[in-house]
Every structure is written in C-alpha cells, then in structure tokens.
Amino acid sequence: MMSVVWRLTTILLLVGLAAAGGALLDGVPGAMLAALVLLVAAVLRDSLALSRLIAWLKAPESAPTPQGTGAWAEVFYRASRQLRLWSGRLRYEESKLQRFIEALQVSPNGVILLDENNQIDWCNATAAQHFGLDAQRDLRQHAVHLIRNPEFVAYLQGQQFHEPLHMHRAGSRGQFTLSVQVFPYGDQQKLLLSQDITQFERTEAMRRDFVANVSHEIKTPLTVLGGFVETMRDMPLDDAQRQRVLDMMQTQSDRMRHLVDDLLVLARLEGDPYPPPEQAIDMPAMMAQYKSEAMALSAGRHQIAADVRTDLWLRGSPQELHSALSNLVSNAVRYTPDGGSIHLEWDAVFENDVPRYAEFSVADTGIGIAAEHIPRLTERFYRVDRGRSRESGGTGLGLAIAKHVLLRHQAELLVHSIPGKGSRFVVRFPATRVVAPGAAQGVPAAPEDTREAA
Ligand code: ADP
C-alpha cells in the first residue's frame, strides 16, 4: 500500500514538475502538454512492464526473470521469489508423493484406491497382477466391470467390509486364492487391499492332513490294542492264547512307539534351524553295520551284498545320517519279496584326482515304484501301498525324515525304479563332505581306488 502511495506521489510530483516546466516555457498549454507527455510515458512504461510480466508468468521456468526499474523491479523480484518458493514446495510434495507411491508399489499386497462410484483411482502393480488389471489403461474404470467375480461384486455392493473376502482366481501361474478386504476412508472413497494366501491355505491344508494322518495312524493300533484288552478281560484264555494275544499287543504298542519316535525326530529336524553337529564318520564301518542290520531284518530271506570304498569317510552328523541311510536299507529289505537281492554301495566320482561327489546307494530287486509316485515319496505319510507299509512296520515317515537329514547335509536323493523289477536309492554327497579315513575334520580324501566287499 505504501509503495502504491509513494509511486502515485512520485508520478504526481513528476507530472507537477513537468507541468511547471511546460508552464514556464509556454504557459498553460505548455504545462498541459508536458503533463500529458509524462503521463503517456508512464502508462507506456507500465504497459510494457505488465506485458513482460504476463509473458514471463506464462512459462516462468523457461525464461529468465524480467528486469525492471523502480516499483517494477520489486514486482518482478517478489513474483519470482514467490514462484521459486511454490515450485520448491511443489517439488517436495511431488517427491513425497512419489516415495509414497514407490512404497505402495513394492508392497507384496495389492492396493487399489476406489472413488465414491467404485471407479479405480489408482492401483499398484501387485493389485494389477492379482486382478488382471492394466495399471494405466484401467484407471477411471468401474472395479466391478473389470473384476467380474460375482462374490466380489456382491461384497463391494453389500458394503459389509468388516470381514475379508476369499476369492479363487486363475492366472498365468495357475490357480491362486486372494484375501480381499475393503476399508472405507475420506469422502466415500475406499482402500481395497488384496493378499495372495495360496501358500497359507496350502500350509493349513497340510497341517490339517498331518493331524488327520497322525490321529488315524495312532487310532488303528489303539483300536486293535483295545480289542485285545477286551478279549483278555472277557474271555477265558489258556497260556498259549494269552501269550499270542500279548505278542500281538506288543506289536501294536511297538508300532505306536515307532510312530511317536519318528514324529519326534521329524519335529526336531523341521524345527531346527542350525546345522547338525558334525564329525568325521567312518563310512566303511557304517556300511558294515548297515549290511548286518539288513541281514538281521531279512533273516535269511534275501541275498545281501555290499561294495565299499575304504578310503572315503564322510563329514556329518552320525545320528542323523544313520537314521536316513538305515531307513533306505530297511525299505529295500521290506519292499523286496523273499529270494530277492539287495546291494549296498559306497563310492565316489573323481575328476582330476579330486572327488566330485560321494555316493551311498542301495539297490534291490523288489516290487519297484511307478514313476508317478517317485516325486511324492518324501512327503509325510505318503505310501504307495499303505497295507504293505503297515504290515512291515512302516510309519510312512522314513523318507520324509531322510529328506530333511539329507538337505541338512547338502546331499541329494535320487530314486530310480522300475515296477516289478526293483529300485535304486542313491544319496549323493557333495565333495566338500568327503574326508580321508581317520580325519578330524575336512581333510580331502586320498584318490587311489580301494574298493572292497564289506
Ligand atoms: P514307510 O514307512 O511306509 O516305508 P517311507 O517314507 O520309508 O515309509 O517310504 C514311503 C513309501 O515309499 C513306502 O510306503 C513305499 O511305498 C515306498 N518305498 C520306499 N522304499 C521303497 C523300495 N525300496 N521299494 C519299493 N517301494 C519303496
């Protein structure tokens, strides 16, 4: 206000001076002319400055700030300062928004912002993938036109958002399940969050199956045991009958004990994030032990042989490896009909005198396994023939335990089998686990070939 008053005063003063000068030269007409000329000059100067200001304001960032004199210098200065201030603030807000969007983009959950008409305001890449949307093209489209699932449409229109909706969808990765929930905010806008819960559902289903399997496995021998108890209580038995019943009860209780033992081993292995305590294992001695275990189990019904390389020991957990490898051996005996043969082997493959890997294998001439079952053998309670497994005292957990143990030893389990002809289970240990006989830890094996029958 002050500057306007000052400027008007200056102009009036100058006009007055010009008029006085003009009056001195030419009386009243001179004064009027001089005042007019000065006023026209002032108006011209202001119009010029104003048009420069307007031209600059149209694209202030691409042109230098105009220079002016007097009050115009201040106008230009203040306008340019204000603009700088605003554009700085704008850049800051934009970068904040950008960071916010980037954070939403990396979210593993889908995020969709809906306006009051359920039109898509914005969505992140995960939501686009969950619902098959195009994050650019589908903006401003109605959500229910794009996500045509009837349950979703009912959910969105029903306005009952306190519970999430579970939606089954098909995508390029196959079937998946989404948990979708809407959170109203602002002026009838909605935040829609989606989460892929396929893995969670699978784990839940596995947990349920596991509990059902365990209950079933325990229920069967318990029922049998209960039956025997009743028999002993209600029926007069002679000594021989009582002995037979007691033997059968013993078999059932052994079965339950095996199952519980295997469950405990499995639970310990699954819950243990640490590598097993390791030592150098005398594998030739272990092979001799496996062979005698197999002979004891077979009780002369099979031919059992072993080929053992004597210059290779293994670094690992003796207890864990024993439970995994002896299970493969006992399976070979249990799934090979009488008269069949079983062959154990411990060997290594060398490359330029350096071991590439060591292999434990057990081959049998047993019933074999059809190809479709092989990938599932290490699942808990997976059996090709449930009856046969139970009859021979199987719990259905042996190979699941073996898989965990071998994983903890960075070893690989390979299964080759032909139904009716036999199977070969191979455990391949990495070279880093091979040690020389008598080694404390990690001494590389001597390369000369010293195979012998155990
Ligand atoms: P189980 O206690 O039933 O033997 P495992 O986990 O050890 O459980 O084995 C899973 C299934 O794999 C067995 O039930 C059986 O059907 C099959 N299997 C394992 N080893 C052999 C083998 N050597 N020959 C044929 N089938 C086998």
Side-chain angles (χ1 to χ4, degrees), residues 262 327-336 362 364 366-369 373 376-386 388-390 392-401 417 422-425:
D262 277 359
N327 178 261
L328 300 183
V329 176
S330 77
N331 278 355
V333 177
R334 289 168 48 231
Y335 296 107
T336 301
V362 47
D364 61 56
I367 57 172
I369 306 159
H373 296 295
R376 302 195 58 190
L377 291 182
T378 55
E379 288 176 19
R380 297 180 291 192
F381 295 113
Y382 191 85
R383 288 133 151 170
V384 178
D385 179 345
R386 196 167 275 267
R388 184 169 185 129
S389 157
R390 285 226 187 94
S392 57
T395 59
L397 294 173
L399 290 181
I401 293 176
S417 191
S423 314
R424 184 161 181 260
F425 283 71

Side-chain angles (χ1 to χ4, degrees), residues 101 104-106 109-114 119-142 146-147:
I101 289 174
L104 289 178
Q105 284 293 15
V106 297
N109 293 340
V111 181
I112 302 182
L113 304 183
L114 297 174
Q119 286 174 305
I120 298 173
D121 258 346
W122 184 84
C123 78
N124 71 353
T126 312
Q129 188 224 327
H130 282 170
F131 296 104
L133 303 174
D134 183 316
Q136 302 302 320
R137 191 198 57 209
D138 292 336
L139 293 186
R140 313 301 320 145
Q141 299 292 318
H142 281 274
L146 299 169
I147 307 167

Side-chain angles (χ1 to χ4, degrees), residues 182 197 209 271 325 346 353 385:
V182 166
I197 54 164
D209 282 358
L325 303 184
W346 172 241
D353 289 349
D385 179 345

Side-chain angles (χ1 to χ4, degrees), residues 166-180:
H166 287 187
M167 280 171 72
H168 299 285
R169 297 194 55 82
S172 52
R173 308 173 289 131
Q175 297 279 341
F176 60 100
T177 310
L178 289 180
S179 169
V180 177

